[in-house]
Amino acid sequence: MKVTEHIANADKTLFSLEIIPPKKGDSIRNLFDQIDPLMEFNPPFIDVTYHREEYVYKERENGLLEKRSIKKRPGTVGICAAIQNHYHIDAIPHIICGGFSKEETENALIDLNFLGIDNVLALRGDNIKSEREFKPEPDGNAYASDLVEQIAAMNKGEYLDEELQNAIPSDFCIGVAGYPEKHFEAPNMNFDLKWLKKKVELGAEYIVTQMFFDNKAYFKFVEDCRAIGINVPIIPGIKPVAVQKHLTILPNIFKIDLPDELEQEITKCKDNTEVKELGIEWGIQQCRELIDYGAPVIHFYSMGKSDAIRRIAREFF
């Protein structure tokens, strides 16, 4: 079922989560062990992140450097198939621009379509660590809007091979990312919203936000979206803080702000046990306000941890 259908059929705020694939060499059972405690909240769908190849340089015996491609977290497509088979709920793979030509993207989408996957989250993706800026593949999509356009074309039966006759259309529900505190590369919020609207006009049917810790940012974001004609569901994404290092790690990686009150309370904590309890309390308050506001879904970024999410979700779901 499509995400938009899950939302339309619900009479209350839904629970969902995002997971990351296990590292290469780990068992999918470890992933199921993270998901199992959260199944009591009946998530209608689970997002699975995609991690592109990184590159390392290893010195050979002759002294020359050899560039090698590594992929620490493969398996997104296989995990989505396993989730749908094991839990009988929808799995949503992240589809990214980086590392894919348009033809490779099309082939991946064909595989997902054959597997009966109804939803995809279209993202540009991050630049690889060895490059300062994002660089698309030759003949690849440079922006998430390009990716949305390609998926939407397949939904109309338009494939890259123009000679195909009577090609069967796919029927993906396309999600995209939104940034209540602005994408870090956008010069201002209006610019960011303009391109978000472009993605919706090209075929995006719902939005999932970057994590945030100040609900006022989400409320303002939704209001600004509606004011410029973005009327698709906007799903808030949240994550409970768990360790003191999150004060610097989360702003650095995700380019977000932590409210003064939260920062001050974390600073007062004596250890990570206290930080975790604070994160749960803050998450409960966030969820209460978001549900009262009428958020269609509360989407938790699990990052391989389920205990704090479970304690928050038990209050509402």
Side-chain angles (χ1 to χ4, degrees):
M1 188 182 294
K2 296 182 178 182
V3 167
T4 49
E5 293 172 333
H6 283 297
I7 292 172
N9 293 339
D11 58 2
K12 62 179 182 179
T13 300
L14 300 172
F15 166 91
S16 71
L17 67 147
E18 177 182 291
I19 60 171
I20 58 177
K23 289 184 177 180
K24 182 181 288 188
D26 287 349
S27 168
I28 196 171
R29 182 66 253 175
N30 296 336
L31 186 60
F32 289 164
D33 288 343
Q34 299 166 22
I35 298 173
D36 286 347
L38 302 175
M39 291 306 296
E40 66 179 283
F41 310 117
N42 299 313
F45 54 86
I46 295 176
D47 276 37
V48 184
T49 61
Y50 186 89
H51 296 256
R52 65 181 294 186
E53 289 85 354
E54 293 285 345
Y55 298 96
V56 296
Y57 290 88
K58 294 193 174 182
E59 186 173 356
R60 301 172 65 178
E61 292 182 359
N62 60 8
L64 296 176
L65 294 177
E66 178 183 5
K67 183 180 180 181
R68 292 186 181 179
S69 174
I70 60 172
K71 194 172 184 181
K72 293 183 178 180
R73 295 185 184 272
T76 296
V77 174
I79 290 167
C80 285
I83 286 173
Q84 295 204 158
N85 179 66
H86 187 75
Y87 295 108
H88 304 291
I89 61 175
D90 286 302
I92 305 177
H94 290 193
I95 305 294
I96 64 173
C97 298
F100 289 92
S101 68
K102 292 179 182 178
E103 184 171 0
E104 290 169 333
T105 295
E106 182 175 274
N107 290 339
L109 291 166
I110 289 170
D111 286 344
L112 294 171
N113 194 37
F114 288 165
L115 286 169
I117 289 173
D118 296 325
N119 307 276
V120 292
L121 190 70
L123 308 165
R124 189 197 70 177
D126 299 325
N127 54 295
I128 60 176
K129 293 181 177 64
S130 59
E131 297 175 349
R132 296 185 62 182
E133 298 179 349
F134 177 83
K135 295 180 181 179
E137 293 297 302
D139 194 31
N141 292 306
Y143 301 99
S145 56
D146 300 329
L147 185 53
V148 170
E149 189 171 19
Q150 181 177 0
I151 301 168
M154 278 188 61
N155 282 347
K156 299 174 184 176
E158 300 171 5
Y159 289 71
L160 295 176
D161 185 350
E162 296 178 354
E163 296 181 2
L164 288 178
Q165 298 293 320
N166 301 315
I168 301 299
S170 55
D171 191 24
F172 293 111
C173 180
I174 306 169
V176 293
Y179 298 85
E181 298 173 76
K182 183 182 78 63
H183 189 279
F184 74 99
E185 293 179 1
N188 55 59
M189 181 58 95
N190 287 336
F191 181 93
D192 206 19
L193 288 171
K194 178 181 71 173
W195 282 102
L196 180 59
K197 184 178 181 181
K198 180 70 172 179
K199 288 188 283 188
V200 172
E201 291 171 343
L202 289 170
E205 298 178 70
Y206 71 97
I207 296 164
V208 182
T209 76
Q210 174 63 284
M211 70 178 70
F212 58 88
F213 293 89
D214 186 347
N215 285 347
K216 292 192 292 292
Y218 170 76
F219 301 151
K220 179 68 162 55
F221 178 70
V222 173
E223 291 169 6
D224 289 346
C225 284
R226 302 304 185 225
I228 63 170
I230 298 175
N231 295 312
V232 300
I234 301 176
I235 298 172
I238 69 171
K239 170 184 168 46
V241 293
V243 295
Q244 289 174 323
K245 287 183 178 180
H246 279 166
L247 271 179
T248 53
I249 291 174
L250 296 180
N252 181 49
I253 295 177
F254 299 104
K255 316 303 179 186
I256 58 172
D257 290 336
L258 273 67
D260 289 342
E261 181 184 354
L262 179 59
E263 174 269 317
Q264 291 168 13
E265 291 301 316
I266 292 174
T267 302
K268 293 177 186 177
C269 291
K270 298 176 182 178
D271 53 35
N272 286 334
T273 299
E274 290 189 2
V275 174
K276 181 178 178 180
E277 293 302 315
L278 172 63
I280 291 168
E281 292 174 10
W282 191 273
I284 288 172
Q285 183 60 31
Q286 273 198 278
C287 287
R288 182 173 291 114
E289 292 178 358
L290 291 167
I291 290 171
D292 289 344
Y293 183 78
V297 184
I298 296 183
H299 188 67
F300 287 88
Y301 292 104
S302 71
M303 300 193 178
K305 306 293 183 182
S306 60
D307 179 57
I309 294 173
R310 187 183 187 202
R311 289 177 58 188
I312 294 169
R314 275 187 165 175
E315 297 288 325
F316 305 101
F317 304 101

